Amino acid sequence: MSEPAIAAPPTMFPAWCDAVVMLTWSDWHLEPRSNRFHYATRFARHLPVYFVQADSFVQEISSEKVSGHNIEVVHVASQDSDSRAKAIQAFLRTRGVRNPLMWIYNPNFERLVALSGAPMRIFHATEDYLGQNGPLAKSLRGVELIEAIRRIIAQCDLVVAVSDGVADNFRVNGQYSGDMIVLRNGCDFSFWQASGAAFDAPSEDAPNIAIFQGNLNGRIDYDLLIELTERMPDWTFEFCGQIAHAPPGWQTLSGRPNVRYLGVLEPQAIADAARGARVGLIPFERADYIWRSLPLKAYEYLACGLPVVSVPIEELQKHPEMFAIAGGSAAFEAAMRERAASRADPEMINKRLAHARRVSYDECFEQLLSRMETTMRTMEGRRPRLNILVFYDERSAHLSSVRSSLDAFSLHSSCRMHFMSGTATWGPTFEPIDLRMFDAVIIHDSIDLSAPQHLGHDIAASIEIYDGPKLLLSGKELKNTERLRRSIERMSIDCVFTRVPEPSIARVYPPDRFGIVDFLPMRDAPATESSAGHYVRRTAERGISLCSRWSNPPLLAGRSGYEAKWAAQETERLAVECGLIVDFAEYGSGTPASEWYQLLGSSRAIFVAPPISLPLDDSGALEDLASQHQAMSHTEFAQRFLLQQDEPIRLNEVPSEIFDAISTRTALVLFEGKYGDVLTPGRHYLALKSDLSNAEDIFEKIKDDAVISTMTQQAYEDIIASGRHSLRRVVDDVDDYLQKRARGRKRATLVTLPIFAVAAGQQMQIAQRKGSLRAILDQVIPPDVFTQDQIYNHLLPAGAQLFPTPPPATEAQIEKVMTALEAVAADLKGMGAAVQQIVESPRQPFWYRGAQAMWQAVPASVRLRLIERMRALRGQ
């Protein structure tokens, strides 16, 4: 007789996680159906599970798939180190893992835990590891491992304890103050019930058998068992499990005539053995850590219908009907003989099954997922703003488009944005900077990775060794593409915001090389958020009917370049013939912005040539050919060099002049087509046919004040005023990705004055250039001098932040700074010697040299402004 198995309920796994990485003490093959097995297999129903075992004597990582489960056993070197941690991270990257749930058992993975940006870390406290008489305290490295556990749980977001006693000890001895849940060891109830072992009990005349299943190790009380076998010669004692570091007592016990060792059995074989047994035993040594534990086998015995006799264990003692608690061999014998009588009692069997069902691992897993979601919501509510470092090209920071883009990140991002030049020239002795103080880094599109050495080699090396999320904003992706690809691979970029249309991404970034990289569309937005509105005039007051500023398309544009050039010239000719006042000219790169906006504000409409398509120039060879044949026409160049090329690619890019025109309420005359899904023909622009057959109709509409006014106002409201296409939305897209990818714990609180970092649990150290240490800025400030809010509310508004265009300070803000500094002046007195000693030493510490380099990365003009501001703050 048996009851139907209970299927595991459907569960939706949290969206913030893409894999589970279990850091274990274990050997997957030698721990059948351990609690690690039960959680791993349940996690694997939803996500890949990487079961990491430190059991290898070589540095190379190897792995094996587990048949029937989405689990991969990963074999790594036994020694904990930064190199092993980075190797594991690299291995996970090859599997596409970016946001793992880190499920921890083994403190020998402390370096990986510290380096990882996992969105959640959970420690599974299956034993009283921190107890004075616990399993670790007896080991050779006991003190060291216990201290490592204390450090690890301090970095964890949740501790899952198997009993109230274990939970209490982690609070007291582990000094853990974070989130915790008690999930008692249970059993895979549906499996054991389906085995039929519960109701297939031995007959009255069958032999009396007591069974123990589990590892035969040092925690077993062999003296107790030897006495039992002597007191109960009419019983047979069966043992199954791995013999692991068993003391000599096992040799004596196994030699007894009424003891049988069944070997290491598969789960079904264990169930078969339980059929013939009358009692299940838990004969552990008497120790505090055993008292606080909860053996997995307790409920597996119940699920097989067996009465259980155990040494004192707090959790089992709460259920005397299910578990007989005995203290010595005489008490064990009495309990075994008394409970054996109920082995075949259907009423007691049903009670045991009901109790085992309540502690099913399926139920535990549901509770775990619910608590994980609650913990994550709490973490998100408390998590400080992310610190993000943006590398940009300081040589182009003067361009309004670059400046506006950087300003947008500073003004609109929900993160704390810090900026550093990625193209500055460093000295020959400059070393890579440790960027782990940042939660993510971004390479701005002002840096061209397809150009040789545009990104400084030291900066590239710094990004390469950085272990957090790395983002690239798209730049020139169709020229010298292979150089760009190699840079992405070398620096292990996680996400590329690209203008390559989705159907062409696989051509530009082959999936076999970039399968683990995220490619997200770069939103179209005005290149600048400027004062273009100052140049707006009423339509009737505009003296120019149609204007255009075009540049000669590159030869690489081939046929599309010829068509763009022809379109501009032919449109101008037809407009003149129709009596329009036109102003067409080739665009000069040095044209002042005011002159450009003046033209737009004086024109009723602007013609923008159709966008060009470019071939994928992997090596730059086509660019070289174009340089060598500048006298050729687009048609001839295409005929000679482009016919053998694959289909050209048109990037998803709306020309900046379109947004400028919309801002000045100037009508757009464009060829029919898609413009990044931004513009709708007839609503936002006058649509010319590609053969210009409707040009006359378009020109007539340009003359109509009502048509032009209605269309330009509609375009402005839909595209500019709505904010749907703005630099702020570009920043929002980046923020959304960062919030998903950079959910790991913050490594540091960053403050820029002009720059220093506060590492967790350490002093705040100010980094200034040698020879410029004065007054307040000369000091090593204790971490309790300023709160984080005080620093950002009082110091940063004064303009002292690492940013290309710091906002001006008001007198009131400066007064706040001075008040704050004066309030702590007494605490700072006499603390300058520590920093001065560093400055005067022959070789400054790594953090100091890195900070010097970052300060040098600020454009010179901005550094002067910051220095002047700080002098003003010091009253000099």
Side-chain angles (χ1 to χ4, degrees), residues 70-347:
N70 190 14
I71 298 174
E72 191 169 355
V73 178
V74 183
H75 303 278
V76 304
S78 58
Q79 187 67 36
D80 189 19
S81 65
D82 281 352
S83 60
R84 187 187 71 169
K86 292 177 180 178
I88 295 172
Q89 288 180 314
F91 171 84
L92 294 173
R93 282 183 60 84
T94 67
R95 299 301 194 263
V97 177
R98 295 180 177 85
N99 297 304
L101 165 65
M102 193 162 282
W103 184 267
I104 307 164
Y105 296 96
N106 189 345
N108 280 313
F109 287 97
E110 183 178 4
R111 296 309 303 149
L112 178 61
V113 174
L115 290 174
S116 171
M120 182 176 286
R121 298 169 177 82
I122 299 178
F123 191 91
H124 194 189
T126 58
E127 302 280 357
D128 181 17
Y129 292 121
L130 304 177
Q132 293 181 352
N133 298 314
L136 289 186
K138 298 179 180 180
S139 67
L140 292 176
R141 298 175 55 221
V143 174
E144 178 185 344
L145 292 173
I146 288 172
E147 287 303 315
I149 288 178
R150 290 194 179 106
R151 291 191 297 269
I152 283 179
I153 61 177
Q155 299 179 62
C156 285
D157 308 295
L158 176 66
V159 167
V160 177
V162 298
S163 69
D164 292 328
V166 170
D168 291 343
N169 221 20
F170 267 68
R171 291 289 193 200
V172 176
N173 292 335
Q175 300 177 353
Y176 178 71
S177 59
D179 198 8
M180 180 181 284
I181 182 174
V182 175
L183 291 179
R184 291 165 175 81
N185 281 341
C187 66
D188 190 358
F189 177 76
S190 58
F191 170 82
W192 296 108
Q193 186 190 32
S195 73
F199 288 95
D200 193 6
S203 62
E204 288 187 10
D205 58 351
N208 294 317
I209 297 175
I211 190 171
F212 171 85
Q213 64 99 353
N215 289 334
L216 296 162
N217 52 31
R219 70 178 59 195
I220 293 175
D221 189 341
Y222 293 100
D223 291 338
L224 168 66
L225 289 171
I226 292 170
E227 291 179 18
L228 271 179
T229 59
E230 293 174 346
R231 295 177 66 99
M232 304 175 71
D234 56 326
W235 279 63
T236 298
F237 292 80
E238 294 184 342
F239 296 86
C240 57
Q242 181 186 10
I243 300 175
H245 309 294
W250 167 246
Q251 300 300 326
T252 303
L253 176 65
S254 61
R256 297 287 301 164
N258 57 341
V259 171
R260 283 194 298 176
Y261 174 57
L262 306 181
V264 179
L265 302 181
E266 293 294 325
Q268 184 59 53
I270 294 174
D272 293 339
R275 281 182 166 86
R278 297 188 187 277
V279 174
L281 300 179
I282 304 179
F284 290 148
E285 65 177 348
R286 298 289 294 273
D288 288 344
Y289 80 95
I290 294 294
W291 164 254
R292 283 188 285 269
S293 69
L294 181 55
L296 180 65
K297 59 183 61 61
Y299 297 106
E300 293 179 344
Y301 287 151
L302 293 185
C304 290
L306 291 174
V308 182
V309 180
S310 172
V311 297
I313 293 176
E314 182 180 21
E315 290 293 334
L316 302 186
Q317 197 163 282
K318 297 175 182 177
H319 308 284
E321 190 176 17
M322 296 293 106
F323 306 103
I325 304 300
S329 60
F332 248 83
E333 177 187 4
M336 289 171 61
R337 295 187 185 280
E338 185 263 327
R339 294 293 172 115
S342 67
R343 168 65 178 93
D345 184 344
E347 181 180 354

Side-chain angles (χ1 to χ4, degrees), residues 781-810:
I781 307 178
D784 58 345
V785 171
F786 287 122
T787 66
Q788 181 171 310
D789 287 341
Q790 282 177 321
I791 290 169
Y792 277 95
N793 291 340
H794 297 306
L795 298 184
L796 288 188
Q801 65 179 30
L802 185 61
F803 188 63
T805 54
T810 65

Side-chain angles (χ1 to χ4, degrees), residues 476-481 500 508 614-618 649 651:
K476 300 176 177 64
E477 296 177 85
L478 303 182
K479 171 183 160 185
N480 285 313
T481 309
V500 176
V508 180
L614 295 171
L616 186 58
D617 189 10
D618 273 351
I649 297 173
L651 298 179

Side-chain angles (χ1 to χ4, degrees), residues 5 83 139 171 273 289 354 360 416 486 496 594 637 657 759 789 817:
S83 60
S139 67
R171 291 289 193 200
Y289 80 95
S360 165
R416 296 193 193 279
R486 290 175 182 172
V496 177
S594 59
F637 187 85
E657 54 262 39
D789 287 341
V817 177

